[in-house]
Amino acid sequence: MATRPSGPPPIVYILLIAILGGGGWYAHRSGLLSSWLSRTSRSPTAQPQAPAAPNLPQAQAPNPPASSVNLDTSLPNPVVLQVDGSVTMIRLVLALKGGYTQRNPGIPITYGIPDGKPNGSNAGLKALMEGRIQMAASSRPLNASEVQAGLQAIPVAKDALAVAVGVNNPYKGGLTLQQLADIFQGRMTNWSQVGGPDRRIRVLNRAPQSGTYSVFQELVLLGLPFAPDNPPYFTTATEDVTTPLLRALGEDGITYSTVDQVQNQQTVRMVPIDGQMPTREAIQSGRYPLARNVFLVVPRKTSPVVADFINYALSDQGQQIIGRTEFIPLR
């Protein structure tokens, strides 16, 4: 009689194989599902959106870093940010002041010491070197002594000088840079010398403390002196003003100022220089010869709020504000 093999009957093995095989299949499917769920949970469309970060107050909006203009901001912020300088730039500075104050209402800013009337580029730079203000607006570049004193000029906009005559001046032509230099240095004294009527040229020069005076002297006279005063044919103003000069032009006078201060005047007319009128396109392209940068000037060691104001002027918003003042943005 045959003996039965020891161990579990065959049906047990069949059941074990089915169970183990099915369990492996189930585990495999479960792993695939888990992997798919994991991938899905990481996908941008499936994960819950994190709440958006709250908008920072405008005063905290990012600006170009102060290091981009090499400023040392280790000084404490002033109680009042005092600015003085260019009369030409008054609309630009006040427009920037208004925009900046909206973003930073706790920072008072004044322009012009001591009574809120700017005193001109040269006076503003002097006050800055003497520590009486924290920032100056200048319509001219720094000279060597100002650079040696540690001042730094940051261009914030473009501008141009306009040469103006009275609207009833019988001379209707343009001038070359050389003719303009000859007039303001006293070598040309009659309108007939430039193709006009036989009439004495009456020169109305700006005040020496004006940054515009300095720029004209540099661009037109190449740094050489103006002709000496010879009233009534050559007179130099004693105050940095524009309107009185324009009003006094009459039919024989000539003067200069910024384009912004001349172009909307009804009693004067701008004179083409080297065949170019000071249009925005001619200034930006460099075709107009009497174009310039205008600057905000600070000591190399200053405070964070001063650096922030300059960065605001250089920001997109600041440049848009500058463009609305009829100065020309840097970009």
Side-chain angles (χ1 to χ4, degrees):
M1 180 175 179
T3 59
R4 296 178 61 183
S6 61
I11 187 62
V12 174
Y13 290 104
I14 294 171
L15 290 172
L16 286 172
I17 291 170
I19 292 169
L20 292 174
W25 174 85
Y26 177 77
H28 174 70
R29 291 293 301 272
S30 297
L32 291 175
L33 180 62
S34 297
S35 175
W36 179 82
L37 287 173
S38 176
R39 289 196 304 270
T40 303
S41 68
R42 291 193 297 268
S43 70
T45 57
Q47 70 179 12
Q49 295 294 320
N55 290 329
L56 292 174
Q58 285 192 332
Q60 301 299 320
N63 280 315
S67 60
S68 64
V69 289
N70 300 319
L71 298 180
D72 176 351
T73 58
S74 59
L75 295 182
N77 286 332
V79 175
V80 177
L81 175 52
Q82 294 179 298
V83 189
D84 198 4
S86 173
V87 175
T88 297
M89 292 172 64
I90 186 168
R91 289 180 60 192
L92 181 151
V93 174
L94 293 181
L96 287 174
K97 171 189 169 184
Y100 187 80
T101 301
Q102 284 184 352
R103 295 161 54 102
N104 302 274
I107 302 174
I109 303 172
T110 63
Y111 187 49
I113 57 170
D115 54 0
K117 295 180 181 178
N119 293 286
S121 296
N122 296 340
L125 293 169
K126 183 174 185 292
L128 185 63
M129 288 189 289
E130 293 173 353
R132 293 184 284 123
I133 59 175
Q134 291 79 47
M135 182 165 58
S138 178
S139 58
R140 66 164 177 81
L142 301 180
N143 59 36
S145 63
E146 291 158 351
V147 172
Q148 291 172 357
L151 301 189
Q152 182 165 351
I154 297 97
V156 294
K158 291 182 178 293
D159 190 20
L161 304 187
V163 176
V165 296
V167 70
N168 294 321
N169 190 314
Y171 179 67
K172 305 300 182 185
L175 296 170
T176 65
L177 267 180
Q178 184 58 58
Q179 289 172 331
L180 193 60
D182 289 342
I183 289 171
F184 278 83
Q185 289 182 302
R187 291 188 294 271
M188 280 187 174
T189 58
N190 196 292
W191 286 108
S192 63
Q193 293 174 277
V194 293
D198 183 11
R199 190 165 187 170
R200 187 72 181 260
I201 297 173
R202 190 165 49 89
V203 177
L204 303 174
N205 200 12
R206 296 186 70 91
Q209 65 265 32
S210 164
T212 304
Y213 173 106
S214 301
V215 171
F216 187 94
Q217 186 177 33
E218 191 65 33
L219 292 177
V220 179
L221 309 186
L222 303 179
L224 298 174
F226 289 92
D229 274 9
N230 179 28
Y233 301 114
F234 197 111
T235 57
T236 301
T238 57
E239 296 182 23
D240 186 10
V241 293
T242 298
T243 301
L245 296 180
L246 299 180
R247 288 176 176 171
L249 285 171
E251 297 182 0
D252 56 357
I254 187 170
T255 191
Y256 58 92
S257 188
T258 65
V259 173
D260 180 49
Q261 291 174 319
V262 173
Q263 63 184 353
N264 295 321
Q265 298 287 334
Q266 301 300 313
T267 60
V268 303
R269 163 170 61 82
M270 290 189 289
V271 178
I273 304 299
D274 284 350
Q276 295 289 331
M277 289 293 283
T279 63
R280 180 172 292 242
E281 293 75 19
I283 295 167
Q284 286 184 322
S285 68
R287 298 194 309 273
Y288 184 68
L290 300 184
R292 61 176 176 179
N293 287 332
V294 295
F295 308 88
L296 291 177
V297 184
V298 294
R300 290 191 181 276
K301 181 177 287 190
T302 186
S303 65
V305 70
V306 171
D308 192 55
F309 186 95
I310 291 173
N311 288 333
Y312 175 73
L314 296 174
S315 71
D316 290 341
Q317 185 176 357
Q319 291 290 295
Q320 289 172 5
I321 288 174
I322 287 170
R324 292 197 292 270
T325 67
E326 299 178 4
F327 280 80
I328 298 174
L330 295 177
R331 57 182 185 279

